[in-house]
């Protein structure tokens, strides 16, 4: 399915912490409603029908993405102790732990942060053992590894994720964060990894756009500056080439939506506004936290997505 016919909406009630996709499809929106309404049997049916790896990974985050306390997640996990319910619970635990870290605007308490992350790690490891075919827990296990300062765990989660499901794009994206200088990597390591993943990952998942994710990690201003880093010829050429490769592959399902967000961002940053226009046109006025770093207050004024979309649609 191409995402020209794939409706998305902004998610309500989610956490900005360690977010990947915080937009909803009709399926993930319905699942979140069922979870909040404590209707586990119907929710389990939705989960069973969701089999495409990237869609399944998105659904897991949607069910674990809640700001603050969310007792309905633990209640579902107790009522339906499946691997998927445990994965969603582990994702919520991971996001909630970050409320106590110095990297968010919550209350910093490193002891609480570590305790919660250790619990999330154990939950995700249990989920991974229960279902040896599903890769959904593994990108979030890498988040736990980063917070706990455990590069070996991150590397093992990546290896297991690609073994189980080489077409799950979030496994590669999460690995790039671990390999960046912000976490466990050396200078240039994440970019080289992204280039390698673009060559080795299965055709059709938009793996070429991973270089844009890696470039954002290298950018000294992390995407917030006027574009000096992105306007260098080498970066521009790599972004344009990635976009061309992804265009040729097509954009499929929710993973196609995710790829478009990154292409729109990268092409806008390198000044290729006309080339970015089709992606903004397809996405509409629905921004995603990553890579746009939206704010839940005064969003229309402060989120760069709207400015970028206006500029690019005017050009193309």
């Amino acid at each position: 399915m191409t995402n020209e016919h794939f409706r998305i909406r902004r998610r309500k009630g989610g956490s900005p912490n360690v977010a990947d996709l915080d937009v909803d499809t009709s399926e993930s929106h319905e699942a979140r409603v069922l979870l909040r309404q404590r209707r586990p049997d119907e929710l389990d049916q939705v989960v069973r029908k969701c089999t495409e790896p990237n869609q399944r990974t998105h659904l897991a985050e949607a069910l674990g993405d809640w700001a603050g306390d969310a007792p309905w997640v633990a209640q579902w996990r107790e009522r339906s102790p499946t691997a998927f319910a445990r994965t969603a619970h582990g994702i919520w635990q991971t996001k909630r732990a970050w409320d106590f870290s110095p990297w968010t605007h919550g209350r910093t308490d490193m002891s609480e942060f570590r305790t919660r992350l250790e619990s999330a790690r154990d939950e995700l490891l249990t989920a991974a053992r229960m279902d040896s075919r599903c890769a959904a827990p593994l990108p979030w296990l890498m988040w736990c590894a980063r917070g706990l300062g455990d590069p070996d765990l991150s590397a093992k989660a990546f290896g297991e994720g690609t073994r189980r499901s080489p077409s799950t794009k979030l496994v590669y994206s999460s690995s790039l964060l671990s390999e960046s200088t912000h976490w466990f990597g050396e200078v240039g390591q994440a970019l080289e990894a992204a280039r390698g993943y673009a060559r080795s990952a299965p055709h059709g998942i938009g793996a070429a756009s991973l270089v844009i994710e890696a470039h954002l990690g290298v950018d000294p201003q992390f995407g917030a500056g006027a574009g000096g880093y992105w306007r260098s010829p080498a970066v521009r050429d790599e972004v344009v080439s990635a976009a061309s490769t992804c265009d040729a592959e097509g954009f499929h399902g929710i993973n196609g939506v995710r790829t478009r967000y990154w292409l729109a961002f990268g092409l806008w940053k390198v000044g290729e506004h006309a080339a970015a226009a089709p992606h903004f046109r397809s996405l509409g006025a629905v921004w995603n936290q990553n890579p746009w770093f939206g704010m839940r207050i005064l969003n229309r004024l402060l989120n760069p997505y709207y400015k970028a979309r206006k500029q690019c649609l005017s050009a193309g």
Side-chain angles (χ1 to χ4, degrees):
M1 179 186 292
T2 59
N3 63 293
E4 281 77 9
H5 306 289
F6 205 81
R7 295 188 63 184
I8 54 175
R9 67 179 80 187
R10 279 298 304 156
R11 180 175 300 153
K12 295 182 179 179
S15 168
N17 293 343
V18 297
D20 181 60
L21 272 176
D22 59 350
V23 298
D24 274 323
T25 64
S26 57
E27 177 187 60
S28 61
H29 174 74
E30 174 195 2
R32 285 171 62 82
V33 170
L34 292 173
L35 180 58
R36 281 293 304 266
Q37 293 180 349
R38 279 79 165 179
R39 294 157 63 185
D41 293 337
E42 294 168 83
L43 178 56
D44 289 340
Q45 290 180 21
V46 172
V47 171
R48 281 193 293 270
K49 292 177 182 177
C50 182
T51 57
E52 195 281 321
N54 290 290
Q55 182 71 13
R56 193 169 174 84
T57 302
H58 171 253
L59 183 60
E61 180 178 14
L63 292 171
D65 185 21
W66 305 93
D69 291 330
W72 45 87
V73 183
Q75 289 168 11
W76 177 45
R77 181 249 196 216
E78 293 300 320
R79 171 65 175 78
S80 302
T82 62
F84 202 83
R86 284 181 177 272
T87 296
H89 186 239
I91 293 171
W92 172 78
Q93 288 179 302
T94 304
K95 289 172 177 277
R96 186 71 173 102
W98 244 263
D99 285 335
F100 300 92
S101 79
W103 299 286
T104 63
H105 298 294
R107 174 173 62 88
T108 298
D109 184 334
M110 293 305 292
S111 176
E112 184 74 8
F113 175 60
R114 187 171 186 87
T115 297
R116 286 177 177 266
L117 272 189
E118 288 172 344
S119 179
R121 175 200 60 198
D122 294 347
E123 182 78 313
L124 292 166
L125 283 170
T126 299
R129 294 188 191 103
M130 289 175 66
D131 186 348
S132 61
R133 296 172 298 175
C134 182
L138 299 165
W140 305 98
L141 191 58
M142 284 185 249
W143 266 112
C144 292
R146 288 190 283 273
L148 294 170
D150 189 345
D152 289 341
L153 176 60
S154 181
K156 289 176 181 177
F158 172 69
E160 180 64 13
T162 52
R163 185 194 69 78
R164 291 183 179 196
S165 180
S167 61
T168 298
K169 191 176 180 185
L170 186 56
V171 172
Y172 301 96
S173 297
S174 193
S175 175
L176 289 180
L177 283 174
S178 293
E179 296 188 73
S180 73
T181 55
H182 299 285
W183 295 101
F184 307 135
E186 298 178 356
V187 174
Q189 183 174 329
L191 264 175
E192 285 305 307
R195 291 164 183 152
Y197 300 158
R199 293 189 296 268
S200 64
H203 179 87
I205 66 169
S209 68
L210 291 167
V211 298
I212 301 174
E213 301 188 39
H215 275 300
L216 181 59
V218 175
D219 178 4
Q221 293 186 288
F222 209 62
Y229 172 85
W230 295 86
R231 297 303 175 92
S232 74
V235 174
R236 177 202 167 276
D237 289 349
E238 194 159 32
V239 169
V240 170
S241 176
S244 178
T245 299
C246 292
D247 285 343
E249 291 185 8
F251 303 92
H252 309 283
I254 191 62
N255 186 57
V257 173
R258 186 186 188 282
T259 298
R260 283 193 186 276
Y261 277 116
W262 281 101
L263 294 179
F265 177 81
L267 290 167
W268 171 63
K269 292 296 287 185
V270 302
E272 293 290 333
H273 293 175
H279 303 297
F280 282 110
R281 195 172 293 117
S282 177
L283 295 166
V286 184
W287 58 274
N288 188 60
Q289 182 77 16
N290 208 4
W292 295 97
F293 307 106
M295 300 183 66
R296 299 190 181 270
I297 301 174
L298 300 177
N299 206 25
R300 284 280 181 179
L301 295 176
L302 300 177
N303 190 330
Y305 181 83
Y306 300 106
K307 173 186 175 182
R309 183 170 184 266
K310 182 178 180 179
Q311 286 177 335
C312 294
L313 292 182
S314 296

